[in-house]
Amino acid sequence: MPSPIPYSGNSLDRVSHLRRDGAWLEARLNDPESRFLPFWRQQVLVKSEPALAWARSDLCARVNPDAGPILLGMGGGVAHFAIDVSALETPLETLGLAGAAEFKEPHAVVSALPASDAAIVAQGRGMLIWHGRHRFCGVCGEPTSVKEAGYMRECDACDAEHFPRTDPVVIMLTHHRDRCLLGRQAMFPKGMWSTLAGFVEPGESLEEAVRREVAEESGIEVGDVRYHASQPWPFPANLMIGCMAEARTTDITVDRDELEDARWFTRGELARAILEPAQSSDLFVPPPMAIGHHLIRDWVDGNER
Ligand SMILES: [Zn+2]
């Protein structure tokens, strides 16, 4: 089996059927074997290997988490939780971990972490950001409380139930015969080109979102759309839905508000670009951490179906 796209491949069993079992949850929270992954201001705690720096429950008793702990799942018969220690000004000192571990941005460590650990970071980070942004009810404005091991917040006043968000984004490799369409945003490093992408809007199918985004950004009309692969992207809560899109037209009209440029590339050009390390060449594509890389590579390899 090929290795999973980064941020997917979580080996924990999410045990969603146990989240409402208060006695079971209480026992796991107090179990000295349970493991707790601290996040501080959206950064994750890692050791030098690098590896996730799991803490024990006694360590967590010394902090006052803003949300949770959030149950991540069971692994090796042991419960795993994420905790938010953002309220601490000097978390490493307070946790007694100065010199032993560091808080890092996920992108700084994801390529070096085992696939399952990177996916656990995506789960924990996404959940904790959601909690941080939903402390008040979107219906009536009153405070909400954590329920179901972190997978729901309930309004204290009107009982409205709020669930963690995942925002769908289509990201598509648009191809026409032996060429494919890539674009560049002004913020990209010089020389980098990637697949087009955009948020799915309410009342829109994935296929419709692909056709609309490609037409808006490049003026290209898309016919057949096929789902290819997906990637959790916890920045803060996206699910990247990778598609292969067949172009019906080839004349490009670039939307300069969205893109700096868009153009057609041959398989040969991109076969070379994939091998180039980032920022060392006139033409390169996003690194393997991003699903855009996998869409381009699969198309170059002839796996667009
Ligand atoms: Zn409410």
Side-chain angles (χ1 to χ4, degrees):
M1 217 173 97
S3 54
I5 294 178
Y7 296 119
S8 65
N10 193 332
S11 64
L12 296 178
D13 177 351
R14 295 187 183 225
V15 292
S16 54
H17 60 293
L18 290 171
R19 289 173 189 163
R20 292 187 196 182
D21 185 337
W24 178 86
L25 189 64
E26 195 59 32
R28 297 288 76 70
L29 284 168
N30 293 311
D31 184 344
E33 293 298 312
S34 293
R35 306 171 89 194
F36 295 80
L37 185 62
F39 285 80
W40 181 73
R41 300 177 190 179
Q42 306 184 4
Q43 299 183 347
V44 64
L45 189 64
V46 293
K47 298 184 286 189
S48 58
E49 282 98 89
L52 299 181
W54 295 96
R56 302 279 175 188
S57 59
D58 58 336
L59 204 57
C60 296
R62 295 165 58 187
V63 302
N64 181 21
D66 296 337
I70 308 301
L71 179 66
L72 296 168
M74 296 294 290
V78 171
H80 292 64
F81 293 88
I83 54 166
D84 190 345
V85 299
S86 299
L88 301 176
E89 281 306 319
T90 54
L92 293 176
E93 286 72 16
T94 306
L95 293 166
L97 290 167
E102 273 184 287
F103 284 98
K104 294 271 201 184
E105 292 293 341
H107 279 346
V109 288
V110 63
S111 320
L113 285 174
S116 179
D117 281 4
I120 289 168
V121 173
Q123 182 189 8
R125 186 179 196 275
M127 287 295 292
L128 290 173
I129 291 175
W130 176 73
H131 279 281
R133 293 179 177 188
H134 291 79
R135 294 183 297 125
F136 296 92
C137 178
V139 179
C140 76
E142 293 296 317
T144 59
S145 300
V146 178
K147 303 281 176 179
E148 298 188 8
Y151 289 79
M152 201 242 279
R153 294 186 76 98
E154 190 174 58
C155 177
D156 300 342
C158 77
D159 297 335
E161 297 177 344
H162 303 278
F163 296 93
R165 292 188 57 113
T166 297
D167 299 328
V169 175
V170 285
I171 178 164
M172 47 277 170
L173 186 136
T174 304
H175 56 93
H176 186 269
R177 296 185 187 147
D178 204 38
R179 296 187 302 168
C180 83
L181 178 73
L182 300 182
R184 40 172 291 113
Q185 297 174 18
M187 59 179 281
F188 283 2
K190 188 173 173 293
M192 188 176 101
W193 293 75
S194 188
T195 45
L196 306 187
F199 283 99
V200 180
E201 296 187 349
E204 190 173 48
S205 72
L206 297 180
E207 292 84 350
E208 288 164 345
V210 167
R211 292 188 187 107
R212 176 181 54 77
E213 284 288 342
V214 174
E216 282 174 5
E217 294 187 4
S218 69
I220 298 294
E221 190 184 316
V222 161
D224 189 47
V225 175
R226 287 175 189 246
Y227 168 77
H228 189 75
S230 64
Q231 179 187 35
W233 193 251
F235 305 97
N238 299 346
L239 176 66
M240 309 301 289
I241 301 161
C243 296
M244 295 289 181
E246 209 170 300
R248 281 187 180 146
T249 62
T250 56
D251 287 343
I252 295 171
T253 308
V254 177
D255 174 0
R256 301 285 173 189
D257 289 336
E258 296 271 346
L259 295 178
E260 184 182 87
D261 204 359
R263 73 169 181 89
W264 294 100
F265 291 85
T266 65
R267 280 185 215 265
E269 278 178 291
L270 294 179
R272 285 189 295 279
I274 286 167
L275 301 175
E276 294 288 347
Q279 306 188 32
S280 70
S281 160
D282 293 341
L283 172 60
F284 63 95
V285 300
M289 162 202 310
I291 190 172
H293 178 99
H294 299 266
L295 291 170
I296 294 166
R297 196 185 60 193
D298 286 352
W299 177 78
V300 165
D301 290 344
N303 298 329
E304 62 260 41
R305 292 287 162 139

